[in-house]
Amino acid sequence: MSGYPSSRSERVVIVGASLTGLHAADALRDGGFTGHITLVGAEPHPPYDRPPLSKRVLAGRMSADSTGLPQRQDLDAHWRLGNAAVALDRDARTVTLEDGTTLGFDKLLIATGTRARRWPDPDEAALTGVLSIRTREDAVELQARLAARPGRVLVIGAGFVGSEVASVCRELGLDVTVVERSAAPLAGALGAWAGTAAGRLQRRHGVDLRTDTSVVELEGDADGRLRRARLSDGAVLDVDVAVVALGAVRNVEWLAGSGLTVDSRGVRCDPYCRAVDADGRPCDDILAAGDVACWPHPLYEGLLAVEHWDNAVRQARVAATTILHGPVREHTALPTFWSNQFGLNIKVVGVPGRADQVAVLQGSVERAAFVAAYGRGGRVIGALAVNTPRALDAYAEMISRRMSFPPDLNAADAPDPVHVLDLAVPAAG
Amino acid sequence: MRVMVDLARCQSYGQCVFAAPEIFEISGQEVLEYDSAPSDEWRLHALRARAACPVQAITIGPAAGPGQDLRQPPATRPAADSVGVLR
Ligand SMILES: Cc1cc2nc3c(=O)[nH]c(=O)nc-3n(C[C@H](O)[C@H](O)[C@H](O)COP(=O)(O)OP(=O)(O)OC[C@H]3O[C@@H](n4cnc5c(N)ncnc54)[C@H](O)[C@@H]3O)c2cc1C
């Protein structure tokens, strides 16, 4: 197909050498691409896997070095690691790197992902012992601090990463306080009902969980070491380790002035991963995928921005297809992710966070093995499977087929009767 | 050698645990844990595990990066690190 790179002289530049970048390069070679691939990465490391960082690496059961991702084939790529892209010139089709190098491209894939959102007060954020967890270095530092057995660990924010850190602390026998501004842990992703269940679980595992509470101040000593945290309810905690787990911020600053549509949700794309310019037109030569991208999904209103492993891999493959063959394959995969915490296998498909109703359709919450389906506007939009990983495919199918909610399953292990609970309706994203 | 399991796809069938108990284990009821940098002596087991996985969730290969690409000067690879065999 003319206009799409096939010849040896074509140049694909991938900015961001992590999960998305690696899989895009792999898919390009799988697709027969023989031109140049350059992978540019701000981090000094070749691609590594982040999910273990807040799980086994933090627990000291896996070294950070072992997180390096495997390469399925010789990618025949040029690697520019430890060298961030600082600017994109769309007209000249160049990317400028930190060290002043300019790379020309025929196709550019933006895969710069996200970074941990920092504690808002810069002086407090700079205190020794105030950490977050996004990179290998973060995990190594936090693991060392946990291994030194602090008296109490403070986790700020009870999303998935914060809850996983709390789980590791308990596994290590450390006292941990989790402070969450909303009414329950994981509630943003899974809704209030599952969040409440997660809160009970955490407390049963000995987590000092404080919901509807926020940290208002982190206090250090004369040497700049964290000593205390003040909470919105007036409580004061003596802590020397605080993990800031307040979500992620997209790495899009380097695209300022590029003329692409970029905001806090990331780089706006069309369903083929083509970045959309300021006039709303997709660019044939600039694509984005992974945590940094947002795009319209046929099953969900508005734009979807998905910060999960599976999406990075799948969207990378769609981007590679578009690079090679143009807009022929849409990215319509359902969001899906897993988390392991407190000994549970948690798997999620769809977007439960947008649901207005939920019902347990298989198993039982008390026995910590169940599937809950989520509905919005009377159709199935998501499902949560705890310790029942093999059940989820069937629910993915229901979501894709827009089945009405609650679905009539007649599952052998269905509770009788099935209770449908209403959830506060979140706004569409 | 690096091993990666696509845990979004993994359904904890546990076939990998039978094929390569040195690398994979089911912890708790349903949580798959694995050694992502096993010693090369388990390579055959790892390949068997990959073949046995009912949902094809296992990838095996050398650690990604410049050292693995022919256009780069071959970098010396660190010995497979040995946090080792899972408990
Ligand atoms: C602690 C932790 C635990 C997680 N656990 C799970 C889990 O259990 N399940 C799940 O589904 N997902 C999990 N995730 C999410 C998953 O890791 C991400 O979805 C995935 O890493 C996204 O890959 P990516 O390549 O798009 O972005 P990233 O992994 O964020 O990589 C982007 C890369 O681009 C680099 N970069 C940024 N700016 C520039 C620039 N200007 N120039 C060059 N390079 C740049 C960054 O340094 C980074 O290396 C977890 C994430 C973290 C941090």
Tab-separated table of all heavy atoms in Angstrom, chain A residues 155-163 178-181 184-187 202 209 211 245-246:
chain	number	residue	atom	x	y	z
A	155	VAL	N	0.194	5.256	53.930
A	155	VAL	CA	-0.112	5.208	52.504
A	155	VAL	C	-1.175	6.265	52.238
A	155	VAL	O	-2.240	6.244	52.869
A	155	VAL	CB	-0.610	3.813	52.071
A	155	VAL	CG1	-1.002	3.820	50.601
A	155	VAL	CG2	0.458	2.754	52.330
A	156	ILE	N	-0.876	7.177	51.339
A	156	ILE	CA	-1.813	8.255	51.040
A	156	ILE	C	-2.521	7.908	49.735
A	156	ILE	O	-1.934	7.949	48.660
A	156	ILE	CB	-1.092	9.612	50.914
A	156	ILE	CG1	-0.205	9.861	52.141
A	156	ILE	CG2	-2.102	10.738	50.722
A	156	ILE	CD1	0.661	11.113	52.031
A	157	GLY	N	-3.783	7.539	49.833
A	157	GLY	CA	-4.555	7.164	48.650
A	157	GLY	C	-4.749	5.661	48.586
A	157	GLY	O	-3.787	4.898	48.669
A	158	ALA	N	-6.014	5.231	48.464
A	158	ALA	CA	-6.329	3.796	48.483
A	158	ALA	C	-6.864	3.335	47.128
A	158	ALA	O	-7.888	2.676	47.034
A	158	ALA	CB	-7.328	3.483	49.592
A	159	GLY	N	-6.145	3.709	46.065
A	159	GLY	CA	-6.429	3.117	44.760
A	159	GLY	C	-5.728	1.768	44.695
A	159	GLY	O	-5.319	1.219	45.732
A	160	PHE	N	-5.545	1.243	43.479
A	160	PHE	CA	-4.938	-0.077	43.382
A	160	PHE	C	-3.501	-0.095	43.894
A	160	PHE	O	-3.121	-0.989	44.653
A	160	PHE	CB	-5.034	-0.621	41.958
A	160	PHE	CG	-6.355	-1.279	41.736
A	160	PHE	CD1	-7.397	-0.609	41.124
A	160	PHE	CD2	-6.580	-2.562	42.207
A	160	PHE	CE1	-8.629	-1.204	40.984
A	160	PHE	CE2	-7.807	-3.166	42.074
A	160	PHE	CZ	-8.838	-2.490	41.451
A	161	VAL	N	-2.701	0.877	43.486
A	161	VAL	CA	-1.301	0.847	43.909
A	161	VAL	C	-1.191	1.033	45.422
A	161	VAL	O	-0.483	0.288	46.108
A	161	VAL	CB	-0.470	1.900	43.134
A	161	VAL	CG1	0.917	2.043	43.734
A	161	VAL	CG2	-0.359	1.502	41.660
A	162	GLY	N	-1.941	1.992	45.974
A	162	GLY	CA	-1.904	2.208	47.422
A	162	GLY	C	-2.346	0.969	48.184
A	162	GLY	O	-1.737	0.583	49.196
A	163	SER	N	-3.374	0.306	47.692
A	163	SER	CA	-3.872	-0.891	48.379
A	163	SER	C	-2.871	-2.033	48.268
A	163	SER	O	-2.716	-2.826	49.206
A	163	SER	CB	-5.223	-1.309	47.791
A	163	SER	OG	-6.175	-0.277	48.004
A	178	VAL	N	-3.679	3.616	56.064
A	178	VAL	CA	-4.057	4.067	54.729
A	178	VAL	C	-5.072	5.192	54.894
A	178	VAL	O	-6.102	5.016	55.554
A	178	VAL	CB	-4.672	2.925	53.900
A	178	VAL	CG1	-5.146	3.441	52.541
A	178	VAL	CG2	-3.661	1.794	53.706
A	179	VAL	N	-4.762	6.338	54.320
A	179	VAL	CA	-5.667	7.478	54.404
A	179	VAL	C	-6.279	7.722	53.029
A	179	VAL	O	-5.559	7.864	52.035
A	179	VAL	CB	-4.917	8.733	54.902
A	179	VAL	CG1	-5.843	9.937	54.906
A	179	VAL	CG2	-4.357	8.492	56.296
A	180	GLU	N	-7.596	7.694	52.985
A	180	GLU	CA	-8.311	7.812	51.710
A	180	GLU	C	-9.380	8.894	51.838
A	180	GLU	O	-10.205	8.849	52.732
A	180	GLU	CB	-8.934	6.445	51.345
A	180	GLU	CG	-9.975	6.453	50.255
A	180	GLU	CD	-9.480	7.006	48.926
A	180	GLU	OE1	-8.357	6.664	48.509
A	180	GLU	OE2	-10.223	7.798	48.306
A	181	ARG	N	-9.360	9.813	50.898
A	181	ARG	CA	-10.282	10.943	50.972
A	181	ARG	C	-11.731	10.526	50.756
A	181	ARG	O	-12.646	11.072	51.334
A	181	ARG	CB	-9.875	11.982	49.928
A	181	ARG	CG	-10.682	13.241	50.008
A	181	ARG	CD	-10.028	14.377	49.301
A	181	ARG	NE	-9.334	13.943	48.080
A	181	ARG	CZ	-8.624	14.764	47.323
A	181	ARG	NH1	-8.508	16.026	47.643
A	181	ARG	NH2	-8.036	14.321	46.235
A	184	ALA	N	-14.300	4.890	50.527
A	184	ALA	CA	-13.841	3.499	50.515
A	184	ALA	C	-12.632	3.336	49.596
A	184	ALA	O	-12.468	4.108	48.647
A	184	ALA	CB	-14.967	2.580	50.033
A	185	PRO	N	-11.808	2.322	49.860
A	185	PRO	CA	-10.708	2.041	48.936
A	185	PRO	C	-11.236	1.532	47.592
A	185	PRO	O	-12.341	0.979	47.539
A	185	PRO	CB	-9.901	0.939	49.644
A	185	PRO	CG	-10.796	0.359	50.676
A	185	PRO	CD	-11.816	1.407	51.022
A	186	LEU	N	-10.474	1.729	46.555
A	186	LEU	CA	-10.771	1.217	45.205
A	186	LEU	C	-12.098	1.699	44.645
A	186	LEU	O	-12.558	1.209	43.608
A	186	LEU	CB	-10.758	-0.328	45.166
A	186	LEU	CG	-9.544	-1.033	45.784
A	186	LEU	CD1	-9.685	-2.550	45.631
A	186	LEU	CD2	-8.253	-0.565	45.146
A	187	ALA	N	-12.746	2.648	45.328
A	187	ALA	CA	-14.103	3.026	44.939
A	187	ALA	C	-14.126	3.708	43.571
A	187	ALA	O	-15.093	3.567	42.818
A	187	ALA	CB	-14.737	3.914	46.001
A	202	GLN	N	-9.450	-5.127	54.041
A	202	GLN	CA	-8.198	-4.502	54.483
A	202	GLN	C	-8.139	-4.437	56.004
A	202	GLN	O	-7.107	-4.725	56.613
A	202	GLN	CB	-8.045	-3.112	53.873
A	202	GLN	CG	-7.953	-3.153	52.351
A	202	GLN	CD	-7.456	-1.860	51.732
A	202	GLN	OE1	-7.137	-0.900	52.429
A	202	GLN	NE2	-7.370	-1.829	50.405
A	209	LEU	N	-7.280	1.609	58.282
A	209	LEU	CA	-7.829	2.312	57.115
A	209	LEU	C	-8.668	3.493	57.584
A	209	LEU	O	-9.599	3.333	58.369
A	209	LEU	CB	-8.692	1.337	56.309
A	209	LEU	CG	-9.481	1.924	55.141
A	209	LEU	CD1	-8.548	2.471	54.068
A	209	LEU	CD2	-10.413	0.853	54.552
A	211	THR	N	-10.992	6.237	56.071
A	211	THR	CA	-11.681	6.775	54.902
A	211	THR	C	-12.307	8.122	55.245
A	211	THR	O	-12.354	8.517	56.412
A	211	THR	CB	-12.760	5.791	54.433
A	211	THR	OG1	-13.572	5.443	55.543
A	211	THR	CG2	-12.139	4.528	53.864
A	245	ALA	N	0.256	7.720	46.893
A	245	ALA	CA	-0.356	6.876	45.851
A	245	ALA	C	-1.621	7.582	45.370
A	245	ALA	O	-2.739	7.124	45.588
A	245	ALA	CB	-0.659	5.487	46.407
A	246	LEU	N	-1.412	8.713	44.747
A	246	LEU	CA	-2.528	9.577	44.350
A	246	LEU	C	-2.773	9.531	42.853
A	246	LEU	O	-3.274	10.477	42.253
A	246	LEU	CB	-2.231	11.015	44.796
A	246	LEU	CG	-2.161	11.194	46.318
A	246	LEU	CD1	-1.677	12.596	46.674
A	246	LEU	CD2	-3.522	10.926	46.951
